[in-house]
Amino acid sequence: DIDGNEEADTLAKTGAHSLCEIPEPAVPVSYRRCRLEVRYWIVKEHCKVWNQSDTCLHTKGILRNADKIPAKSLLKLNRNKLCQVLQVLTGHGNLAKHRNKMGKAQSPLCPKCQEAEETPQHYVGDCPAYLNTRISQFGYHKIELSDLVKNY
C-alpha cells in the first residue's frame, strides 16, 4: 500500500460529488488547452531537473537547454541513425576516448590524426582527417556539435 493513496481516494470522491465553487458565469477550458498547460508544466519541470543535475555534462555541452532537444527530428531517424546520433550526443560511442575510459583502448588519441583525444566533437567537427567530408557535407572546415543541433 502506498502512503497517501487512501487519502487521495477519499479527496477525489469528495471532489467528484461536490459542486464547483467558481464565480458565474463559468468559462469552460478546452481539452486542448488543458493538454497544452500540462505539456508546458512537464517541460518546465524537466528543465528544472536538467539544470540542477550535475550529470550528463557532455550532452549538456551540446544541448544547452533541455527544452531545445530536437525530439521530433530524432524520432524520424531509423534505428541505426538514431543510435549514431545518440552516441555523439552522449559521448558514449565507439570513439577512442570513451573506449579508453572503459579500458578497451590503450590511448584516447584519435587513430586518424593522433593530434587530439577522439571525442565526438573532434570526430565530427575538428579532425583534419575528415576535413574534406565536413566541407562536402556541411560546407565548413570546422563544426561545433551544438551548431549542428540548432539546425534541427
Side-chain angles (χ1 to χ4, degrees):
D1 214 20
I2 299 174
D3 291 339
N5 269 0
E6 301 302 322
E7 185 179 348
D9 286 344
T10 303
L11 291 171
K13 287 176 185 174
T14 303
H17 295 295
S18 64
L19 293 174
C20 184
E21 297 178 18
I22 59 172
E24 293 292 331
V27 179
V29 179
S30 71
Y31 176 73
R32 178 179 159 86
R33 184 65 191 180
C34 289
R35 283 181 48 111
L36 192 61
E37 288 301 322
V38 169
R39 186 172 298 146
Y40 288 152
W41 179 82
I42 289 170
V43 168
K44 187 175 95 181
E45 290 300 309
H46 179 256
C47 289
K48 189 186 315 178
V49 170
W50 174 267
N51 292 331
Q52 291 172 350
S53 170
D54 60 352
T55 60
C56 306
L57 297 178
H58 177 80
T59 307
K60 286 180 178 181
I62 298 169
L63 303 170
R64 309 261 190 253
N65 299 316
D67 61 340
K68 301 295 184 207
I69 295 172
K72 287 183 182 178
S73 297
L74 292 175
L75 291 173
K76 291 178 186 175
L77 299 175
N78 68 41
R79 176 179 255 162
N80 289 335
K81 293 274 187 206
L82 179 61
C83 183
Q84 292 170 348
V85 170
L86 291 177
Q87 287 177 5
V88 169
L89 288 176
T90 62
H92 295 154
N94 192 26
L95 300 175
K97 181 173 181 182
H98 183 65
R99 295 185 75 229
N100 178 260
K101 194 184 281 188
M102 295 185 322
K104 303 281 185 187
Q106 290 182 345
S107 169
L109 290 179
C110 174
K112 293 285 188 178
C113 70
Q114 296 291 316
E115 292 180 10
E117 290 183 336
E118 189 183 33
T119 62
Q121 174 58 50
H122 175 76
Y123 179 73
V124 174
D126 302 329
C127 185
Y130 300 111
L131 176 65
N132 290 334
T133 303
R134 270 194 306 281
I135 292 171
S136 69
Q137 293 296 314
F138 305 110
Y140 301 105
H141 294 275
K142 188 173 178 166
I143 295 174
E144 294 294 323
L145 290 176
S146 57
D147 291 337
L148 285 178
V149 174
K150 286 179 196 172
N151 294 332
Y152 285 98

